Amino acid sequence: MTTEVILHYRPYENDPTQLSKIAEKALQDFPTRPLSRFIPWFSHDGSKLPLKPKRSPPVISEEAAEDVKLYLTISEHDVKSQSYDCTIDLLEFQPNLKKEKHLIQSHTLNEQTNSGNLDKQSEKGRQHKKRFWSVSLPNSNCTENIFPLSKKLQDSLKALNLHSLYRARWTIEHTICNNQTLEDIWAKLNQIIRHNELPSCNATIQRHLDQIWVFCDIMYCEYVGNLLKGRLALTGKMNLCVRKYGVIFSM
């Protein structure tokens, strides 16, 4: 019994001694180990099944069986017509390439051209796409000036049995923006978050609700609320919400 081997190699790797060694390794049998004898976990004497199905198996009609046979026939035809030569579209396996350098240079040039086109497309996309989320990075410096929670908030947490590491949400309504648009507030908030002035915060703008949501840990919520009202010049009352509990504090 003979075995036909097709070995693909690059034009600059045509050493016949190395190619024969590669082919020999490809023909070697894979190492195997004998499998242990299977011992069923149930007593089986061959007369009856150990497990009985609760329902009878589905009945396949003759029409459905014909459809399955037709589908399998078409699938087999498609598989036979496919080419398994994985080097058809790879330039490095083309015989007209004499040096590897030409391949690398052309590949690099194509990458630069494609990346330039992607940059142009992304710039156009940024002009039409608005930012919805903003996330702060971990920063230990801004937590030095944070004071303990007020007694009112501590009493509320104790009554609801909430831990200080629960996530809470400040809601900025358009009615407290003090003659500013919600987009203006959102732009200023992004600047604050980019400078990591708000610990453990991430924010999102809900344009269909005319609201901005600022999420933070409860242990930092009063610090975050005071900074938001001061830096964004907000007037009126902001509510602090916790999921499943609703409004637990206001400022």
Side-chain angles (χ1 to χ4, degrees), residues 139-156:
N139 187 7
S140 59
N141 296 330
C142 63
T143 59
E144 296 177 355
N145 299 325
I146 297 177
F147 298 100
L149 299 177
S150 64
K151 187 178 184 305
K152 181 180 178 182
L153 182 55
Q154 289 183 13
D155 293 341
S156 179

Side-chain angles (χ1 to χ4, degrees), residues 23 31 44 60 215 247:
H44 179 58
I60 301 178
F215 298 89
V247 178

Side-chain angles (χ1 to χ4, degrees), residues 181-197:
T181 64
L182 203 66
E183 295 294 338
D184 293 337
I185 297 294
W186 178 240
K188 293 178 182 179
L189 179 59
N190 281 324
Q191 290 293 331
I192 297 173
I193 291 180
R194 284 196 192 101
H195 289 86
N196 294 330
E197 298 180 51

Side-chain angles (χ1 to χ4, degrees), residues 160-196:
L160 297 172
N161 196 22
L162 289 174
H163 195 274
S164 60
L165 291 179
Y166 265 66
R167 295 292 281 179
R169 183 192 79 201
W170 285 113
T171 303
I172 301 177
E173 304 273 357
H174 72 283
T175 54
I176 65 171
C177 291
N178 193 15
N179 296 325
Q180 305 175 86
T181 64
L182 203 66
E183 295 294 338
D184 293 337
I185 297 294
W186 178 240
K188 293 178 182 179
L189 179 59
N190 281 324
Q191 290 293 331
I192 297 173
I193 291 180
R194 284 196 192 101
H195 289 86
N196 294 330

Side-chain angles (χ1 to χ4, degrees), residues 99-142:
K99 293 183 180 180
E100 181 183 7
K101 187 182 297 184
H102 299 311
L103 171 65
I104 297 175
Q105 288 178 351
S106 62
H107 181 66
T108 306
L109 182 60
N110 290 334
E111 281 189 345
Q112 292 175 351
T113 305
N114 293 334
S115 63
N117 294 334
L118 289 174
D119 291 340
K120 292 179 180 178
Q121 292 176 1
S122 61
E123 287 178 1
K124 292 180 180 179
R126 289 194 195 102
Q127 295 175 0
H128 300 287
K129 188 176 181 180
K130 294 183 178 181
R131 185 187 184 94
F132 285 94
W133 278 93
S134 188
V135 181
S136 66
L137 298 175
N139 187 7
S140 59
N141 296 330
C142 63

